Amino acid sequence: MRILIVDDSEQAPDPLRSLLARSKEESSSSGIFAALSIPQILKSRLTRVLSNPDTRSDTTRTDFAALQIENSPELLASLLNTLGLAYLSSGRLREAEHFIEQALEIRQKLYGTEHPTTAFSINCLARVYRDAGRLEEALRRLEEALAIDTRTSGADSLASAGDLGVLASIRLERSELTEAEYAARSATKILEQAVGGHDPWMPYVLDILARIHQWRSDYSRANELYKRINDLDSKLYGCDHPIYAVRLHNYATVLEAQGELEDAKAKYKDAIRILEKSSGDYHPNLVDALNNRGALLLTQKDFEGARADFNDALERNRKIRGSDHPLIGYTMINQAQLAFEEAEYADAVETLDDALKVLRGKLPTQHAYVAAALTLRGRSLVQANKPADAEASLEEAASAWRAEFGERSPEFAIANATLARTWFLQEKRLHEVEPILRTSLAIVVAVRGADDPTAQLIREWLKDVQPGDPC
């Protein structure tokens, strides 16, 4: 399940963000910017970003650092950073990186490296890297910003709280739940003490905490938090705002995990409607919402509806993020799940192998997406009666789930149960099979209910081990 990240819109005004939303015609961005309602001296320079972001030729790079607006370079830096955040919130990461880098250069020249405004531009750049899937770079830059703000403003400052919130989001993207929770709780404590929790960063960090509870299968606590988050967002932004839509979508993922599918589907529909209206057809959050609605439709056995959402999401994703982004791999996992449900196991394995090439190139080895792909690959091979081929994938998956989610998580239980099934089919380690299956079944039932399809499958495997046992 992909749970979305959304940044504080007050740092990127709504009119500017909507102006920069990607349209269908420019879905494969050429780097040409639309004309902006800003002073002409600046507008004449905001015309082009390099088509190749890796090229840094001084003869072609727009040098905003040399430009002054009414002898106020600090104003220029603020404008450039705001433009970068607007592009970030519109999902246009190449442009966002370009403008924020220029703002950072100016601020470093004006204020030096040890200044809160310099740290803020570094914080913004880390968010761009995070959304681009460049998680190592994101973590390094964010820790740099936090160190500056801690030294200059204090560990309990609002600036440090903002850094901790973004740090938590990066840790969460890296599937490092313990570190993410620590950073989010530290940010929450600062916000409550400094402003009584009345700040746009509060729902931001609460959203991260809710997602951590969800990953750990504590759906009741996640549900409680999302009710609070939606109430805060409706007051801060209104119910037609993209930030409200994103976190409404995240709430839907919790409801789906709890089995409240129709309520979840209704919330997905509302979130997608708001995102289409406010963010344009080619926005990453819209793509991810389509992916997740497709997963719900798959659960409801609406295979054609799921296929349409997955194919739509993959096409848009490649245009927006590129073919090597980790979320391309996530969409492939969803497509493989559809193939699995349709008993097309060879297709599922082939798709998962492609997904793993993408995911391993961008994510830590024990990331949840890697573990999910390995688990499904193992399950597909077991269903295709190739248990020996499945064993290595399932061992790696179980190790990854155990490391971060623990042995009481349904994800670990499913991978471990499937691994035990491979041993049974190969007639080895038979004394371990039944205890693993019984423990795994109890975990899955406790979290997902007795009617969960995977619980039913594990129950069937137990009957094979002990014929006649009602389990």
Side-chain angles (χ1 to χ4, degrees):
M1 182 62 63
R2 168 69 177 162
I3 310 177
L4 310 186
I5 294 172
V6 62
D7 287 298
D8 173 21
S9 69
E10 291 190 1
Q11 296 163 1
D14 290 349
L16 182 57
R17 186 188 61 253
S18 61
L19 178 63
L20 303 184
R22 195 190 308 267
S23 68
K24 292 181 180 179
E25 291 72 20
E26 54 182 347
S27 58
S28 55
S29 175
S30 65
I32 305 298
F33 293 108
L36 304 174
S37 298
I38 55 179
Q40 186 63 36
I41 189 170
L42 182 60
K43 183 169 68 175
S44 66
R45 304 301 296 272
L46 303 182
T47 55
R48 185 178 293 273
V49 170
L50 296 175
S51 296
N52 181 357
D54 295 326
T55 302
R56 297 298 185 197
S57 169
D58 289 338
T59 61
T60 57
R61 188 168 183 236
T62 307
D63 185 11
F64 292 112
L67 176 64
Q68 294 189 8
I69 300 176
E70 298 177 354
N71 296 316
S72 299
E74 68 278 8
L75 174 60
L76 174 60
S78 295
L79 284 169
L80 292 171
N81 208 86
T82 300
L83 282 168
L85 286 170
Y87 274 114
L88 173 62
S89 66
S90 297
R92 302 184 65 162
L93 302 184
R94 184 186 302 178
E95 295 95 327
E97 181 178 359
H98 182 76
F99 284 122
I100 292 170
E101 281 182 343
Q102 291 293 313
L104 177 58
E105 286 183 20
I106 295 172
R107 285 172 167 170
Q108 286 174 331
K109 290 179 181 179
L110 284 173
Y111 308 116
T113 57
E114 291 289 310
H115 195 277
T117 56
T118 301
F120 181 63
S121 283
I122 296 171
N123 173 302
C124 296
L125 193 57
R127 291 185 243 172
V128 176
Y129 292 160
R130 177 201 64 200
D131 287 5
R134 296 155 60 183
L135 299 180
E136 288 289 344
E137 294 174 88
L139 183 60
R140 177 175 58 83
R141 296 314 300 259
L142 199 285
E143 289 177 337
E144 180 184 350
L146 179 59
I148 295 169
D149 282 327
T150 299
R151 289 191 294 266
T152 59
S153 303
D156 58 351
S157 65
L158 290 175
S160 294
D163 291 333
L164 287 166
V166 177
L167 176 61
S169 74
I170 296 169
R171 291 291 190 185
L172 186 64
E173 286 292 283
R174 288 168 57 86
S175 199
E176 297 167 348
L177 301 190
T178 301
E179 295 88 344
E181 182 175 14
Y182 178 78
R185 290 198 181 282
S186 297
T188 301
K189 182 178 179 180
I190 294 170
L191 292 167
E192 288 176 341
Q193 291 177 345
V195 291
H198 301 293
D199 186 276
W201 280 110
M202 181 58 79
Y204 182 98
V205 294
L206 290 177
D207 180 46
I208 292 169
L209 288 171
R211 287 182 273 167
I212 292 168
H213 291 315
Q214 180 176 358
W215 269 116
R216 290 174 172 163
S217 304
D218 190 348
Y219 301 128
S220 61
R221 292 182 71 183
N223 195 316
E224 291 173 4
L225 279 175
Y226 273 120
K227 290 177 181 178
R228 180 182 174 189
I229 291 164
N230 287 164
D231 182 60
L232 288 171
D233 282 340
S234 66
K235 293 174 181 176
L236 283 166
Y237 307 111
C239 295
D240 288 321
H241 195 282
I243 286 184
Y244 176 86
V246 165
R247 293 197 276 248
L248 180 69
H249 161 278
N250 290 350
Y251 186 16
T253 67
V254 175
L255 294 170
E256 181 180 354
Q258 291 179 300
E260 300 178 28
L261 301 187
E262 288 304 318
D263 195 3
K265 185 161 69 172
K267 285 181 169 54
Y268 281 139
K269 182 179 179 181
D270 284 345
I272 289 170
R273 173 185 57 79
I274 296 167
L275 290 170
E276 286 177 332
K277 181 179 179 181
S278 61
S279 300
D281 294 325
Y282 286 87
H283 191 285
N285 288 340
L286 174 60
V287 172
D288 297 337
L290 289 169
N291 249 323
N292 285 345
R293 185 177 67 180
L296 183 145
L297 294 174
L298 181 58
T299 300
Q300 294 183 313
K301 305 300 182 183
D302 181 358
F303 293 162
E304 291 310 309
R307 195 186 325 277
D309 274 351
F310 294 154
N311 291 343
D312 189 10
L314 185 61
E315 179 184 356
R316 298 186 198 216
N317 226 351
R318 283 178 170 149
K319 290 179 179 178
I320 295 170
R321 288 166 166 148
S323 59
D324 64 342
H325 195 282
L327 293 180
I328 296 293
Y330 169 75
T331 305
M332 290 178 177
I333 294 174
N334 281 336
Q335 291 181 318
Q337 184 70 53
L338 174 59
F340 179 89
E341 296 295 334
E342 294 181 318
E344 299 290 346
Y345 303 121
D347 289 348
V349 172
E350 182 179 355
T351 301
L352 289 163
D353 286 342
D354 290 340
L356 283 164
K357 290 177 185 177
V358 175
L359 296 170
R360 291 188 191 278
K362 293 287 186 177
L363 299 176
T365 56
Q366 293 189 328
H367 193 277
Y369 291 169
V370 175
L374 289 168
T375 302
L376 184 55
R377 187 179 189 276
R379 293 184 65 191
S380 299
L381 288 167
V382 167
Q383 291 300 109
N385 200 27
K386 297 180 179 180
D389 295 340
E391 197 166 349
S393 291
L394 292 165
E395 286 175 345
E396 186 179 352
S399 175
W401 292 126
R402 180 192 291 112
E404 189 56 61
F405 289 62
E407 294 190 0
R408 301 300 300 176
S409 67
E411 292 82 7
F412 172 79
I414 291 167
N416 210 32
T418 312
L419 179 59
R421 178 66 174 177
T422 70
W423 299 338
F424 175 78
L425 295 173
Q426 296 176 81
E427 298 184 350
K428 68 179 189 180
R429 302 177 67 166
L430 295 178
H431 66 286
E432 300 178 56
V433 172
E434 183 179 358
I436 289 175
L437 292 178
R438 288 193 179 278
T439 300
S440 299
L441 178 61
I443 292 170
V444 174
V445 168
V447 176
R448 299 184 178 180
D451 294 331
D452 177 78
T454 307
Q456 294 175 10
L457 179 62
I458 296 173
R459 196 175 285 111
E460 291 300 317
W461 291 346
L462 263 171
K463 290 178 181 179
D464 290 342
V465 174
Q466 294 288 344
D469 189 340
C471 304

